């Protein structure tokens, strides 16, 4: 049976929030580290979680968060501090010596990278290096590597703009194939492993949608979900950057990461599919049609 050890959750964003909900539903004790005591922190308390203030780049707050904790979910938003945070977490957790599982949220691009590869984004490089640090630490690590998220603005808000405008799925992906995965499916995997990590230590789980498809096929999935014709419009990358991405006002580090994701799609680097979601949770990953159908209001006026 799974133990009743407290789980420390960091990076309580889209995936993390759902992990917290799942663990509390199963009556697993949860501590959540947040940087601000705001409405989101209050929501976690309503779930029954213990909320502590902390910063993953500050060893003293990480040590306080890890006190009496048996398992940890390490994640953070896209940030230049990702490697620093991973190094702090690894060193403090090793010194504390209490963890029987550390689930690290990475990304699937890492599986194609080497120590000297240079075609990836700075954020992807940070994830690769963070995995090395966690592995070198000797901690009981489990790496989770999702591919691009279906919940990403590429497939939600950006796609909705062009669909509402002229019935096109306008993205700079060329003829590349992809298999995006829903945040909720990634959260189910993370929660499953955290509830009972036996047999998972040292493993890497690569999470995708149920199959790969090119953008014409993706547009067909959108069409079936929305009940209207949607066609794919392949937009030149720099044009899309100027007309769509620039208007979002994102930090340069994040914008560069998104542009690299688009370029890697063009190079067919996202043409990968696994059954890890179904194998680990017993429920298949959502299809694009299911995902879009559940969010029709986002894509139609």
């Amino acid at each position: 049976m799974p133990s009743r050890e407290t789980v420390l959750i960091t990076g309580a964003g889209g995936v993390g929030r759902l992990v917290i909900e799942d663990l509390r539903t199963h009556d697993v004790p949860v501590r959540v580290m947040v940087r601000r005591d705001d409405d989101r922190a209050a929501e976690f308390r309503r779930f029954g979680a213990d909320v502590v203030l902390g910063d993953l780049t500050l060893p003293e707050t990480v040590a306080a968060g890890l006190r009496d904790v048996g398992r940890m979910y390490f994640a953070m938003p896209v940030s230049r501090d990702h490697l620093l945070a991973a190094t702090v977490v690894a060193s403090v957790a090793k010194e504390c010596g209490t963890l029987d599982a550390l689930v690290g949220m990475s990304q699937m691009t890492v599986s194609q990278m080497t120590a000297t590869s240079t075609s990836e984004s700075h954020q992807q490089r940070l994830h690769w290096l963070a995995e090395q640090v966690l592995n070198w630490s000797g901690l009981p690590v489990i790496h989770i590597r999702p591919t691009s998220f279906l919940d990403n603005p590429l497939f939600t808000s950006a796609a909705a703009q062009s669909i509402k405008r002229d019935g096109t799925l306008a993205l700079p992906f060329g003829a590349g194939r992809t298999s995006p995965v829903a945040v909720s499916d990634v959260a189910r995997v993370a929660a499953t492993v955290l509830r009972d990590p036996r047999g998972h230590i040292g493993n890497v789980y690569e999470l995708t949608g149920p199959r790969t498809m090119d953008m014409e096929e993706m547009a067909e999935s959108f069409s079936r979900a929305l009940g209207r014709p949607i066609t794919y419009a392949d937009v030149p990358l720099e044009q899309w950057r100027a007309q769509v991405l620039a208007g979002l006002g994102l930090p340069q580090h994040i914008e560069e990461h998104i542009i690299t994701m688009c370029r890697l799609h063009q190079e067919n680097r996202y043409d990968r599919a696994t059954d890890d979601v179904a194998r680990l949770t017993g429920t298949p990953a959502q299809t694009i049609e299911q995902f879009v159908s559940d969010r029709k209001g986002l894509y139609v006026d």
Side-chain angles (χ1 to χ4, degrees):
M1 293 292 292
S3 75
R4 300 275 302 133
E5 294 193 53
T6 298
V7 178
L8 174 64
I9 304 290
T10 71
V15 174
R17 181 186 181 282
L18 294 177
V19 171
I20 294 165
E21 285 192 56
D22 183 289
L23 295 179
R24 291 303 303 137
T25 297
H26 288 84
D27 205 28
V28 176
V30 171
R31 179 177 297 155
V32 186
M33 180 182 288
V34 297
R35 299 188 68 169
R36 291 176 295 277
D37 195 349
D38 52 16
D39 290 344
R40 188 180 61 153
E43 180 182 27
F44 297 149
R45 290 191 181 96
R46 288 194 293 272
F47 290 158
D50 173 32
V51 176
V52 297
L53 296 180
D55 184 326
L56 289 171
T57 68
L58 300 177
E60 64 274 19
T61 65
V62 174
L66 281 170
R67 189 172 298 119
D68 302 320
V69 163
R71 296 170 192 163
M72 180 177 185
Y73 168 81
F74 167 66
M76 63 188 304
V78 174
S79 169
R80 290 186 179 276
D81 286 335
H82 188 92
L83 178 59
L84 172 59
T87 305
V88 168
V89 165
S91 58
V92 172
K94 187 174 180 66
E95 187 172 284
C96 290
T98 60
L99 293 183
D100 62 22
L102 192 160
V103 175
M105 185 58 61
S106 186
Q107 55 182 272
M108 200 167 176
T109 314
V110 169
S111 65
Q112 301 171 325
M113 296 172 65
T114 69
T116 56
S117 61
T118 58
S119 63
E120 298 82 18
S121 72
H122 183 61
Q123 181 67 32
Q124 289 162 339
R125 171 59 49 185
L126 294 179
H127 276 282
W128 190 90
L129 291 169
E131 283 199 20
Q132 311 313 305
V133 169
L134 292 173
N135 290 339
W136 296 336
S137 72
L139 291 165
V141 177
I142 304 158
H143 295 295
I144 294 181
R145 297 176 181 166
T147 186
S148 56
F149 286 120
L150 264 174
D151 310 62
N152 186 297
L154 289 169
F155 306 111
T156 54
S157 55
Q161 287 182 27
S162 59
I163 287 172
K164 291 178 180 179
R165 183 181 64 245
D166 56 16
T168 64
L169 181 62
L171 288 170
F173 284 6
R177 300 179 68 84
T178 190
S179 56
V181 65
V183 161
S184 58
D185 290 328
V186 176
R188 288 193 298 113
V189 170
T192 296
V193 171
L194 285 163
R195 290 199 307 269
D196 188 358
R198 292 175 299 179
H200 299 293
I201 303 301
N203 290 351
V204 175
Y205 297 120
E206 300 191 327
L207 310 182
T208 73
R211 70 181 185 92
T212 65
M213 60 179 67
D214 62 26
M215 297 308 294
E216 300 285 353
E217 293 173 291
M218 182 178 287
E220 291 172 4
S221 292
F222 271 80
S223 295
R224 290 191 297 271
L226 299 177
R228 56 172 293 196
I230 306 296
T231 58
Y232 174 52
D234 184 22
V235 184
L237 183 55
E238 287 306 315
Q239 177 183 325
W240 185 84
R241 182 176 196 167
Q243 294 180 347
V244 179
L245 192 59
L248 299 180
L250 299 172
Q252 183 178 355
H253 176 74
I254 298 177
E255 182 173 315
E256 186 263 339
H257 176 57
I258 293 174
I259 286 296
T260 302
M261 287 177 62
C262 293
R263 177 173 54 77
L264 294 181
H265 269 93
Q266 292 177 347
E267 297 170 4
N268 214 34
R269 291 273 297 273
Y270 283 83
D271 184 15
R272 292 165 287 168
T274 77
D275 66 350
D276 282 358
V277 172
R279 184 167 56 85
L280 291 166
T281 69
T283 303
Q286 290 180 67
T287 65
I288 290 172
E289 187 172 344
Q290 290 171 327
F291 180 88
V292 174
S293 180
D294 288 343
R295 295 162 179 78
K296 285 184 180 179
L298 174 63
Y299 300 98
V300 296
D301 292 320

